[in-house]
């Protein structure tokens, strides 16, 4: 059975493997064991309630219970931009006109902004290639919203997600090569690593102070602004199915889009119901449902059949064991 469960220090080897497989541009999964170890410590302390709620970064793993294989990762940051700025480019349309020559023009510009301070972020969604079919990606993606819905007061009323921008098959990044690198004269990987591990002062020091006119950029750079890496297209579709939409912001390094949705308008958060657990040898249900525990501290999620009658959710013993719940406990169910 596939289960989504909290990540902790014991997952370092699994997380490093996923980071290597994720490839360039996946900012939240650097191929750095020290950074990954710190992240797993932060995840452990977040789930255990040791941190200020706004400082929490919850990381979850997709595990096959029969084999112990870990095949995917996802995360929820309770708040971004509090200790380090959350920089983006905003795509702005400026209209200029001259009645004397009967000309009206729309010019798009990129403007450096720091607009999303305090927002929650869902991210780090990555699965091994052989797990990208059969609903595993949807389970992992939706588990993050079940986590938010379990205790929504721990998260901001606005939720965002950043998607990786376009890279060429040889690992090149058109937007970085033609635009960002002009301001940050270093390898992409170094800038990416510094963005995730420092206070981002180097961005404030070096980023453009004035709007960048999109029309003046080389075509390879213009073509990828706001576009998603091919591997991120399924993730974008999952986000859109939950109600996320582009909000006009793009990543300053690879030009990948940012999407956002109100916390309480995320479909899975809105539609999941809190129910009391009953356990039976046989469960009558046509289709499996998304089921999670009812709190962040002991969070786990699966997609299995559940019998629903009133406010009672009847689970099989195997499902209850995977969730580590017993009769009388509270779970959340989204049919």
């Amino acid at each position: 059975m596939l289960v989504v469960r909290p990540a902790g220090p014991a997952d370092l080897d699994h997380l490093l493997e996923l980071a290597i497989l994720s490839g360039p541009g996946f900012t939240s999964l650097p191929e750095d064991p020290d950074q990954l170890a710190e992240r797993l410590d932060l995840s452990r302390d977040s789930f255990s309630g040791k941190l200020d709620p706004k400082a929490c970064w919850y990381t979850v793993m997709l595990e096959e219970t029969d084999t112990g294989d870990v095949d995917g990762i996802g995360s929820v940051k309770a708040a971004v931009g509090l200790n380090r700025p959350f920089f983006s480019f905003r795509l702005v349309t400026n209209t200029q006109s001259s009645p004397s020559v009967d000309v009206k023009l729309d010019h798009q510009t990129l403007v450096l902004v720091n607009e999303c301070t305090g927002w929650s972020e869902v991210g780090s969604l990555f699965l091994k290639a052989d797990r990208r079919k059969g609903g595993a990606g949807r389970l992992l993606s939706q588990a993050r919203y079940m986590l938010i819905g379990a205790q929504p007061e721990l998260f901001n009323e606005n939720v965002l997600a950043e998607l990786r921008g376009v890279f060429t098959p040889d690992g090149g990044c058109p937007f970085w090569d033609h635009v960002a690198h002009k301001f940050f004269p270093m390898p992409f990987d170094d800038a990416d690593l510094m963005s995730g591990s420092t206070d981002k002062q180097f961005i404030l020091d070096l980023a453009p102070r004035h709007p960048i006119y999109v029309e003046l950029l080389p075509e390879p750079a213009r073509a990828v602004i706001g576009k998603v890496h091919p591997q991120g297209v399924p993730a974008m579709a999952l986000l859109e199915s939950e109600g996320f939409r582009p909000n006009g912001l793009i990543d300053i390094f690879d030009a990948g889009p940012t999407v956002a949705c109100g916390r309480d308008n995320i479909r899975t958060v809105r539609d999941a119901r809190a129910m009391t657990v009953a356990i039976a040898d046989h469960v009558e249900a046509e289709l499996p449902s998304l089921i999670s525990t009812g709190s962040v501290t002991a969070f786990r999620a699966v997609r299995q059949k559940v019998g629903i009658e009133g406010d009672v959710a009847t689970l099989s013993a195997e499902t209850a064991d995977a969730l580590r719940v017993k009769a009388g406990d509270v779970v959340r169910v989204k049919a």
Side-chain angles (χ1 to χ4, degrees):
M1 183 185 301
L2 291 177
V3 62
V4 178
R5 49 84 173 167
D11 289 305
L12 181 57
D13 288 344
H14 298 307
L15 188 55
L16 182 57
E17 179 188 11
L18 292 169
I20 293 170
L21 291 173
S22 68
F26 213 104
T27 307
S28 62
L29 285 180
E31 296 179 27
D32 183 317
D34 292 337
Q35 277 198 60
L36 296 178
E38 289 180 11
R39 175 171 175 176
L40 291 170
D41 288 343
L42 180 57
S43 179
R44 174 199 59 204
D45 294 343
S46 298
F47 278 106
S48 64
K50 293 181 179 179
L51 303 176
D52 181 289
K54 292 183 178 179
C56 290
W57 186 3
Y58 306 92
T59 298
V60 294
M61 296 295 204
L62 179 72
E63 180 178 321
E64 170 54 66
T65 58
D66 292 338
T67 63
D69 292 340
V70 172
D71 295 329
I73 179 178
S75 75
V76 183
K77 281 186 180 178
V80 300
L82 297 182
N83 298 321
R84 299 182 299 166
F86 187 84
F87 289 118
S88 307
F89 280 134
R90 174 164 287 286
L91 195 59
V92 178
T93 300
N94 302 289
T95 300
Q96 294 177 277
S97 62
S98 175
S100 62
V101 292
D102 193 26
V103 171
K104 183 178 180 181
L105 296 172
D106 290 333
H107 295 288
Q108 285 192 316
T109 59
L110 298 175
V111 180
L112 186 72
V113 296
N114 178 23
E115 296 184 1
C116 299
T117 300
W119 289 27
S120 295
E121 180 185 15
V122 292
S124 302
L125 186 67
F126 180 77
L127 289 94
K128 293 179 181 177
D130 58 358
R131 273 293 184 198
R132 293 174 191 166
K133 295 181 180 179
R138 181 172 291 276
L139 167 61
L140 184 55
S141 176
Q142 289 184 298
R144 300 173 303 174
Y145 312 127
M146 296 294 273
L147 175 68
I148 292 172
Q151 292 180 254
E153 70 277 6
L154 297 178
F155 304 94
N156 192 270
E157 61 184 14
N158 294 303
V159 182
L160 65 86
E162 291 187 295
L163 290 118
R164 181 165 34 165
V166 174
F167 285 73
T168 58
D170 62 359
C173 178
F175 189 81
W176 172 265
D177 293 340
H178 293 286
V179 184
H181 187 250
K182 309 298 182 185
F183 301 96
F184 305 100
M186 60 188 74
F188 178 94
D189 289 345
D190 290 355
D192 195 35
L193 185 62
M194 290 175 64
S195 179
S197 62
T198 71
D199 62 3
K200 299 190 180 183
Q201 181 64 39
F202 81 104
I203 295 177
L204 194 60
D205 293 339
L206 300 176
R209 298 285 193 276
H210 304 287
I212 299 173
Y213 279 79
V214 173
E215 292 160 281
L216 301 181
L217 299 179
E219 171 57 25
R222 295 201 309 269
V224 300
I225 291 175
K227 298 295 190 299
V228 181
H229 190 289
Q231 288 186 2
V233 171
M236 182 65 157
L238 290 172
L239 285 161
E240 290 176 336
S241 72
E242 293 287 340
F244 285 81
R245 296 293 181 268
N247 66 351
L249 301 179
I250 65 167
D251 185 81
I252 65 171
F253 292 158
D254 64 24
T258 298
V259 295
C261 186
R263 177 195 63 203
D264 299 332
N265 293 324
I266 298 172
R267 183 167 286 110
T268 296
V269 174
R270 183 189 67 214
D271 294 349
R273 296 172 52 198
M275 308 185 78
T276 302
V277 172
I279 300 174
D281 293 332
H282 180 69
V283 174
E284 292 286 350
E286 290 186 11
L287 297 171
S289 297
L290 183 65
I291 317 164
S292 79
T293 51
S295 71
V296 165
T297 303
F299 184 79
R300 295 173 78 85
V302 298
R303 190 182 302 280
Q304 293 293 319
K305 289 186 177 182
V306 53
I308 297 175
E309 185 174 350
D311 291 329
V312 176
T314 301
L315 313 179
S316 69
E318 182 184 15
T319 299
D321 185 58
L323 291 170
R324 297 182 180 173
V325 297
K326 60 185 184 300
D329 287 346
V330 174
V331 293
R332 300 183 74 248
V333 179
K334 181 183 181 298

